[in-house]
């Protein structure tokens, strides 16, 4: 799936903020926001979200998962979902290189670079509800004018 020289094998570029060699502490609010969730609730939410899930980190030592969201996607103080916490901007979380997907420390559950989780979808999944389907994009109305003769 991953090609070291070009990014993802399917051509999707790997985000520049992802470490290449070793795990680094990166601040929330700069490249991502993060919602910390206990492992049991996180696994359940992950199963509900399915392909709607963006990047997710797991920390086996603390038994927590981190759902990464677009920076600024949630207004600080407005996240009130039981069993989870929106981390404040500047909070440092450990981010490993993409090749770390197993092990006892911090690892990727869902790799970055293929979109993000929508906060409303994560909220619904953490509440045990299936998120509604994405809003249908409005199609531009085609108007045809009769040819001028």
């Amino acid at each position: 799936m991953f090609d070291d020289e070009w990014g993802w094998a399917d051509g999707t570029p790997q985000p520049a903020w992802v470490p290449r060699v070793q795990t680094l502490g990166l601040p929330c609010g700069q490249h991502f926001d993060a919602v910390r969730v206990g492992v049991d609730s996180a696994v359940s939410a992950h199963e509900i979200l399915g392909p709607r899930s963006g990047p997710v980190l797991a920390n086996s030592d603390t038994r927590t998962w981190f759902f990464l969201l677009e920076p600024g996607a949630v207004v600080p103080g407005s996240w009130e979902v039981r069993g989870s916490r929106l981390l404040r901007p500047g909070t440092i979380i450990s981010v490993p290189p993409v090749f770390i997907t197993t092990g006892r420390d911090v690892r990727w559950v869902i790799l970055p670079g293929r979109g993000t989780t929508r906060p409303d979808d994560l909220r619904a999944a953490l509440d045990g509800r299936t998120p509604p389907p994405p809003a249908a994009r409005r199609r531009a109305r085609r108007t045809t004018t009769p040819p001028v003769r």
Side-chain angles (χ1 to χ4, degrees):
M1 273 180 107
F2 183 76
D3 178 320
D4 287 329
E5 186 174 338
W6 301 104
W8 298 104
D10 68 1
T12 305
Q14 179 183 350
W17 54 266
V18 177
R20 303 278 187 224
V21 179
Q22 65 187 28
T23 299
L24 298 175
L26 297 178
C28 292
Q30 187 173 7
H31 302 289
F32 53 82
D33 283 345
V35 174
R36 184 178 63 207
V37 182
V39 70
D40 295 332
S41 297
V43 168
S44 177
H46 174 65
E47 289 172 358
I48 291 170
L49 284 169
R52 292 178 186 215
S53 182
V56 180
L57 291 165
N59 185 321
S60 299
D61 290 336
T62 61
R63 296 188 41 80
T64 54
W65 283 24
F66 299 86
F67 289 84
L68 304 186
L69 312 174
E70 287 289 329
V74 178
V75 176
S78 69
W79 186 265
E80 294 182 18
V81 180
R82 190 170 173 235
S84 69
R85 180 175 173 205
L86 175 69
L87 299 180
R88 293 181 179 182
T91 302
I92 303 295
I93 64 171
S94 296
V95 177
V98 295
F99 59 84
I100 300 181
T101 58
T102 60
R104 294 197 32 84
D105 294 329
V106 177
R107 63 181 172 82
W108 289 104
V109 176
I110 301 288
L111 295 169
R114 299 174 191 249
T116 58
T117 305
R118 290 181 14 162
D120 291 341
D121 290 350
L122 181 56
R123 244 186 217 106
L126 289 169
D127 285 339
R129 297 178 287 119
T130 302
R137 292 184 181 161
R138 287 191 170 184
R139 293 176 122 184
R141 261 190 149 169
R142 287 188 178 177
T143 56
T144 57
T145 53
V148 178
R149 294 187 186 215

